[in-house]
Amino acid sequence: MAKKASKSKPKATSTKKKNPFMISKKNKIILGSLLVLFSIALFFSFVSFYFTWEDDQSLLTEFKNRNEEAKNLLNKFGASISHFFVYKGFGIATLIIPFLLCLTGIYMFLGLDKKGLAKKWIWGLLFLVWFSIAFGFFAVESPLLGGLVGYEMNDFLQDYTGKIGVLLLLVFGLVFILVRLFDVTPEGVAEFFKSKRNELSADFKRSKTSDDPEYIEDEITVSNEDESQVLVDTYTHKEEIPHLAKDEDDFKVTVPKEEEEELAMEVEQIVEEPEEIDILASKLVDDFGEFDPTLELGNYKFPTIDLLDAHGVSGGITINQEELEENKDKIVETLKNYKIGIAQIKATIGPTVTLYEIVPDAGIRISKIKNLEDDIALSLAALGIRIIAPIPGKGTIGIEVPNKNATVVSMRSVIASSKFQKAEMELPIAFGKTISNETFVVDLAKMPHLLMAGATGQGKSVGLNAVLTSLLYKKHPAEVKFILVDPKKVELTLYNKIERHFLAKLPDSEEAIITDNTKVINTLNSLCIEMDNRYELLKLAMVRNLKEYNTKFKARKLNPNDGHKYLPYIVLVIDEFADLIMTAGKEVETPIARLAQLARAIGIHLIVATQRPSVNVITGIIKANFPARIAFRVTSKIDSRTILDAQGADQLIGRGDMLYTQGNDVTRIQCAFVDTPEVAKITEYIGSQRAYPEAHELPEYVGEDSGTSVDYDIKDRDKMFREAAEVIVIAQQGSASLIQRKLKLGYNRAGRIIDQLEAAGIVGPFEGSKARQVLIPDMASLQQLLDNESL
C-alpha cells in the first residue's frame, strides 16, 4: 500500500491546474485597448455633459427613440451615462474614473506588472469621494459640482456634525492624503519654506549690491584706470566716507533744542490730562457731591415686608423624631440586605427634604450604593429619593428623603433673612432655602444668565416671581429695568402696574409686557443695538464693565456732553421660551445667543424659562452661555440631563422643589413661595408712587422688509409659470427638483421659475437644504392671486 502511494504522488504533482481567471496575452491587448478607448469616450462625454446637460435633460426618457438626438459628443449614450455618473454620482470628481480605466487599459495592453494598480485604484476612489464631498460642501447651490453623492453626504454629515464638523472632516481627509500619498511632513514643509526664504534673501542681497549708489560712484571715479588701480581706488574712496569709517559706538542721534522742548510739552500734556480730569472731577464732587441716579425719584420707598404673607408654620421647621428614626432604620436595613455596612449616619432636616449622611465601612464601593436608589425608595415608600455619592467637599454619601409633612418656605422669611438684607451684591436673588435650612442668595450679575426648566405646575412661574420680587425689594427703579416676555399673556400681567418705574419697552409700543412674537423679535434686536451702544460707551470711558463705568460716571469723571449717561442693569425675562422657538425659530435664537455671549459686561442679563428642555429648544450655543441653571421637576431623565447635564431633576417631588447649578455641584433648594395676591400688593405699592414720565425706552429697531429681494416683471415670466405654480400648490412642497420631475424641465429653468414663484409670493425664501415654504394653501387661492395680477 505504501508503494502505491509513493508511485501516485509524482503523478499528482506533474499535472498543473489551469487558472480559470488567467487571460491570454492577445486577449489582454484587446481588452486593454477597449478600456483605453472606452475611457476616452467617457472623458469626452463627461466634459461635454457640462455644456449640454440642460438641453439633453428632457431626452433622458427618450433613449429608445432613434429620431431624437442629444447634443452630447457621444449622443444619447453620452448624455445617459454622464447623467448617471456626474449628476447622480460624484460631479466633477467623476473625471477620475476615465483616468483609472485608461491606466488599467495601458497596464493590460503593455503587459505591465499589476502590483501597483490596485493601490492606484484605492487612492483614486478615495480622491473621488473626497472631491465629491468637498465640491458638495463649497458649492451648495450647484449639485452638478459635487453630484448627488456629494450633496447627500454633506446633508447627512451636517445633520450630525454641522458645517464646522464637515469642514474638519474634509481637512482631516486632505491631511491623510497628503501624508500617506505624498509623504508630506511638518519638517518637510518647514524645510521647503526655509529654502525659499533663503533664495529670496540671496536674490534681495544681490539686487541691493548692484543698485547701491556708493558702488556705482566708485566705478565711475576709476573707470579709466587699469584693473589693479581700480581695487586700490575703491578701497581708499570708501575710507574717505566719514560715516563708514566711524565705529558703531560713536553713533548718536541728536534732536534740535526746539523739537526737544515741543516733545517734552506734548508728554507733559499727555501725563497731565488725566490728572486735570481727576482734579476737575474731585472739585465737582466737592461742590455737588457724587452723581446720584436715584435723585429723580428721591422720595421712592422700597416695598415693606408687611406686603408678604407668612405662609406655613411659624417658628421654623418642626422635627418629627419618630419619622427620623424610622427612616434611619430602613436605610440601614436596606443597605445591610446588600451586605453594605455603615460606620456612621446622621440627619440634616430641611423644609421639604431630610439629608441622611452615611459613612460606609472600609472597602465598600460607592457605585454599589448609588445603584440602590430604587431599592431605598421602595423600602421608604417615598417619592423623590436622591443619592449624592459622594457629597462634594465631604467624605460622606448623602441620601435625600422627602419629609412626610413638608414646610412651606415663604418669600417673607427669605426676604427678612439677614443673609439677603446684608447681601453686598449687584443683583441679589433669594431663591429659597437649602436642605440645611439656610437662605440661598445668589448674584444675577455674576451668573450672568439663568436658564429655568420644569414641567407644568412644578413651580417655574413662582420661581420667576421670586426672582423679580427679590430685585424689587433691593433695587431702586433707576438701577434696574425689566423686559418681560410672556407668551402665555397671563403670568406676568401684574407687573404692568410698575411700567413707568421698572419696565423697559420699544418706542411707540402700547404695552410694556410683550406677548406678540413679532414684538419679541424686534425687542431682542433692539437689545442687541443697546448692547452695541453700551460697548461703545465703555470703550470711550476706557473701562471693562458696567460697574466700573457707573462708578466712574458717579464720580463725575465722564462728560454727559460726550454721550455718557448712567446705565441701569437690564434683566430680560422670557416665561415660555419653547413657544418662541416653535413660532419664530432662528429669528429669536440668533439675538438670544448673541446677547448671551456678549451682554454680560454691559449689564444685560437673561432669565429664560421653558417647560420641556429639549435639545431643539435649548440649543448648544444657548446652553453654553447659560452656566447657571435651575431645574424643577421634569418628566424624564433625558430632560434632566439636557438642563443640568446630570440626573436628579426627574426625582424631585414638585411644588417648588428644585436643583440649582452654576457649573459646579448641584444644590437642592426649596423655592420660596410668593402668591399672586402678594405680587399684586407689591406692584400696587410701587405703582402708587411717583414714577418716571415714561417707561425706559429701548433703541428703535426697524425690521427687514417681509417682501422678497427677487423681482421679476410679469411679462418676463416663464411660459410654464402657471403649470409650475399649480404643481407646487398641489404638492405643497416648494423645490426646483419637483418642477424638474413633474414638468420635465432643465435645472436652470426650474431654478428661474422658483425665483419667479418667490417674487409672486407663492413660495417662501431659500432655506438651505430644506424645501421652500408654500404660501398659497389651495388652488382656489392660487387662481385668485393670478387673476388679481392680470387685472
Side-chain angles (χ1 to χ4, degrees):
M1 288 292 289
K3 255 183 175 178
K4 275 186 182 178
S6 62
K7 282 180 183 178
S8 61
K9 193 175 181 182
K11 194 175 180 182
T13 53
S14 61
T15 57
K16 287 184 180 179
K17 283 187 179 180
K18 194 173 181 181
N19 190 350
F21 298 103
M22 286 289 288
I23 304 172
S24 66
K25 188 177 180 181
K26 290 179 181 178
N27 288 338
K28 281 183 180 178
I29 294 169
I30 294 168
L31 190 57
S33 60
L34 177 64
L35 283 175
V36 170
L37 295 171
F38 182 64
S39 66
I40 293 169
L42 284 180
F43 176 79
F44 281 113
S45 64
F46 291 166
V47 172
S48 122
F49 175 78
Y50 279 95
F51 299 96
T52 62
W53 72 275
E54 193 174 357
D55 298 317
D56 295 343
Q57 190 87 0
S58 57
L59 299 178
L60 295 174
T61 55
E62 305 292 333
F63 191 81
K64 295 179 181 178
N65 190 351
R66 292 181 61 183
N67 296 324
E68 293 288 344
E69 275 197 19
K71 291 189 177 180
N72 192 288
L73 290 176
L74 271 80
N75 211 328
K76 284 180 289 198
F77 170 77
S80 300
I81 201 165
S82 300
H83 180 76
F84 179 78
F85 277 104
V86 179
Y87 185 78
K88 291 188 176 181
F90 304 94
I92 291 178
T94 313
L95 292 171
I96 294 171
I97 294 174
F99 172 75
L100 292 172
L101 288 173
C102 183
L103 199 64
T104 308
I106 291 168
Y107 266 74
M108 295 183 76
F109 188 84
L110 299 176
L112 300 173
D113 189 9
K114 289 183 280 185
K115 283 183 181 177
L117 188 61
K119 187 179 178 182
K120 288 180 174 62
W121 267 93
I122 291 167
W123 281 109
L125 293 175
L126 189 64
F127 269 114
L128 182 75
V129 175
W130 187 88
F131 275 116
S132 178
I133 296 172
F135 280 121
F137 179 80
F138 290 107
V140 183
E141 294 181 1
S142 179
L144 290 175
L145 295 175
L148 281 179
V149 171
Y151 178 82
E152 293 295 340
M153 286 289 286
N154 267 287
D155 199 34
F156 173 77
L157 290 171
Q158 286 181 27
D159 284 344
Y160 289 94
T161 64
K163 286 195 172 183
I164 293 175
V166 176
L167 184 62
L168 293 175
L169 286 172
L170 286 171
V171 171
F172 172 74
L174 182 63
V175 170
F176 177 81
I177 290 167
L178 290 173
V179 172
R180 298 290 300 177
L181 186 60
F182 299 106
D183 294 327
V184 175
T185 59
E187 295 84 3
V189 173
E191 191 63 36
F192 172 77
F193 282 111
K194 191 176 178 182
S195 63
K196 287 290 178 188
R197 190 186 67 185
N198 291 339
E199 286 176 16
L200 288 170
S201 179
D203 291 342
F204 178 73
K205 283 179 182 177
R206 282 198 295 271
S207 63
K208 184 172 174 59
T209 305
S210 60
D211 295 340
D212 196 338
E214 292 171 12
Y215 286 91
I216 294 168
E217 187 180 346
D218 290 340
E219 289 170 11
I220 294 167
T221 309
V222 294
S223 59
N224 296 324
E225 305 296 332
D226 57 37
E227 194 173 2
S228 60
Q229 189 66 30
V230 169
L231 293 171
V232 176
D233 282 353
T234 304
Y235 178 76
T236 54
H237 191 74
K238 276 194 174 181
E239 276 200 336
E240 288 171 4
I241 301 172
H243 72 272
L244 289 175
K246 289 186 179 181
D247 293 332
E248 287 183 3
D249 295 335
D250 298 332
F251 182 78
K252 293 179 182 178
V253 177
T254 57
V255 181
K257 192 173 183 182
E258 289 180 6
E259 287 183 15
E260 278 184 347
E261 288 174 359
E262 288 174 13
L263 190 63
M265 285 173 66
E266 285 176 8
V267 171
E268 282 174 16
Q269 283 175 6
I270 292 166
V271 173
E272 287 177 6
E273 191 175 351
E275 291 178 5
E276 286 178 8
I277 292 170
D278 290 341
I279 292 164
L280 182 62
S282 60
K283 190 174 182 299
L284 287 169
V285 170
D286 290 339
D287 293 342
F288 304 102
E290 281 199 344
F291 174 78
D292 186 5
T294 65
L295 206 57
E296 191 174 349
L297 296 183
N299 297 324
Y300 174 79
K301 293 179 182 177
F302 286 87
T304 60
I305 202 76
D306 301 330
L307 298 170
L308 295 168
D309 298 333
H311 298 282
V313 183
S314 60
I317 297 169
T318 53
I319 299 171
N320 188 336
Q321 196 66 38
E322 190 179 323
E323 183 187 340
L324 286 174
E325 288 293 328
E326 187 183 345
N327 286 340
K328 185 197 79 171
D329 293 341
K330 284 179 179 177
I331 289 170
V332 172
E333 187 182 346
T334 305
L335 294 175
K336 191 177 179 182
N337 291 337
Y338 290 93
K339 297 178 182 179
I340 298 171
I342 296 174
Q344 185 185 341
I345 184 167
K346 69 172 183 176
T348 306
I349 305 164
T352 54
V353 175
T354 299
L355 174 67
Y356 294 87
E357 290 184 59
I358 62 171
V359 179
D361 288 340
I364 301 294
R365 287 179 177 273
I366 292 174
S367 58
K368 196 174 180 182
I369 300 173
K370 180 71 176 169
N371 293 334
L372 296 175
E373 204 163 51
D374 295 333
D375 299 285
I376 295 169
L378 180 66
S379 68
L380 295 171
L383 175 71
I385 299 292
R386 182 169 166 263
I387 294 179
I388 311 164
I391 296 174
K394 296 182 180 181
T396 58
I397 293 167
I399 301 174
E400 294 174 352
V401 181
N403 300 335
K404 286 182 180 176
N405 298 313
T407 305
V408 177
V409 176
S410 66
M411 197 71 204
R412 178 172 179 149
S413 64
V414 173
I415 295 292
S417 66
S418 60
K419 192 169 184 180
F420 179 75
Q421 292 296 330
K422 295 177 182 178
E424 295 294 327
M425 299 176 181
E426 292 298 308
L427 296 171
I429 295 173
F431 280 120
K433 292 191 176 181
T434 62
I435 289 174
S436 55
N437 205 33
E438 292 178 5
T439 304
F440 189 81
V441 183
V442 288
D443 189 359
L444 178 62
K446 290 183 179 178
M447 285 185 187
H449 310 295
L450 177 64
L451 192 59
M452 298 174 71
T456 305
Q458 303 304 320
K460 281 195 316 303
S461 297
V462 174
L464 286 176
N465 283 331
V467 170
L468 294 170
T469 303
S470 301
L471 294 173
L472 291 175
Y473 266 90
K474 282 292 273 188
K475 305 307 289 184
H476 189 274
E479 296 174 313
V480 65
K481 299 295 177 184
F482 301 124
I483 298 172
L484 304 180
V485 178
D486 182 16
K488 295 178 187 175
K489 304 182 181 180
V490 292
E491 295 292 347
L492 302 174
T493 48
L494 290 171
Y495 295 96
N496 265 325
K497 297 170 186 174
I498 58 170
E499 176 182 331
R500 291 187 296 145
H501 291 86
F502 281 99
L503 300 191
K505 65 178 185 179
L506 291 170
D508 303 325
S509 182
E510 293 179 7
E511 295 182 0
I513 311 291
I514 305 161
T515 56
D516 183 34
N517 287 341
T518 308
K519 288 184 180 178
V520 174
I521 295 163
N522 290 344
T523 303
L524 292 173
N525 285 296
S526 173
L527 260 182
C528 289
I529 296 168
E530 174 72 13
M531 177 180 71
D532 294 335
N533 293 343
R534 287 190 172 200
Y535 267 117
E536 190 65 29
L537 290 175
L538 261 64
K539 185 182 82 172
L540 294 173
M542 291 184 288
V543 292
R544 295 180 61 188
N545 55 52
L546 186 80
K547 188 178 179 181
E548 290 177 12
Y549 178 88
N550 282 339
T551 303
K552 205 168 182 178
F553 188 84
K554 285 179 183 178
R556 301 187 184 273
K557 292 181 181 180
L558 300 174
N559 191 345
N561 294 328
D562 296 335
H564 292 292
K565 58 185 176 181
Y566 181 83
L567 299 175
Y569 284 94
I570 295 177
V571 179
L572 170 66
V573 179
I574 300 177
D575 185 31
E576 188 44 70
F577 188 57
D579 181 66
L580 295 179
I581 290 292
M582 283 190 293
T583 53
K586 288 284 181 187
E587 289 180 288
V588 166
E589 186 187 341
T590 303
I592 284 279
R594 188 159 182 260
L595 288 167
Q597 287 171 333
L598 300 172
R600 174 183 184 171
I602 43 83
I604 297 176
H605 302 281
L606 280 59
I607 300 173
V608 174
T610 183
Q611 283 185 2
R612 188 173 184 275
S614 54
V615 289
N616 60 335
V617 174
I618 303 170
T619 59
I621 295 173
I622 290 175
K623 194 174 173 183
N625 290 286
F626 281 78
R629 298 172 202 159
I630 287 175
F632 292 91
R633 189 182 177 191
V634 293
T635 53
S636 68
K637 286 183 171 64
I638 298 168
D639 289 350
S640 177
R641 286 187 181 278
T642 305
I643 184 70
L644 293 175
D645 294 326
Q647 292 183 19
D650 55 310
Q651 295 166 324
L652 299 173
I653 57 174
R655 298 180 64 83
D657 189 17
M658 71 183 205
L659 295 174
Y660 170 84
T661 180
Q662 199 170 352
N664 304 321
D665 53 319
V666 178
T667 308
R668 191 166 185 174
I669 304 164
Q670 177 60 42
C671 184
F673 178 67
V674 53
D675 207 357
T676 307
E678 296 173 73
V679 177
K681 284 190 279 185
I682 294 166
T683 53
E684 280 174 14
Y685 181 85
I686 295 171
S688 63
Q689 300 183 51
R690 180 173 169 267
Y692 294 107
E694 294 290 336
H696 183 80
E697 279 199 357
L698 295 170
E700 189 175 1
Y701 171 77
V702 180
E704 296 176 2
D705 292 332
S706 58
T708 176
S709 58
V710 183
D711 191 17
Y712 279 96
D713 192 349
I714 294 176
K715 291 181 285 185
D716 297 333
R717 282 179 181 171
D718 195 280
K719 293 177 182 177
M720 305 286 281
F721 176 83
R722 182 179 282 271
E723 290 88 336
E726 291 172 357
V727 166
I728 293 293
V729 171
I730 290 167
Q732 285 295 301
Q733 181 185 345
S735 67
S737 57
L738 178 68
I739 297 172
Q740 271 186 279
R741 291 197 306 274
K742 295 291 185 183
L743 303 180
K744 297 180 181 179
L745 301 176
Y747 181 81
N748 287 353
R749 188 176 178 187
R752 284 195 299 272
I753 292 175
I754 278 287
D755 290 341
Q756 292 167 10
L757 290 169
E758 182 188 348
I762 296 170
V763 297
F766 178 70
E767 295 183 20
S769 58
K770 292 195 296 184
R772 294 172 185 247
Q773 185 184 357
V774 181
L775 306 176
I776 304 298
D778 49 42
M779 290 296 291
S781 303
L782 176 65
Q783 188 63 42
Q784 186 178 355
L785 175 71
L786 296 175
D787 290 345
N788 290 339
E789 284 184 343
S790 61
L791 292 175

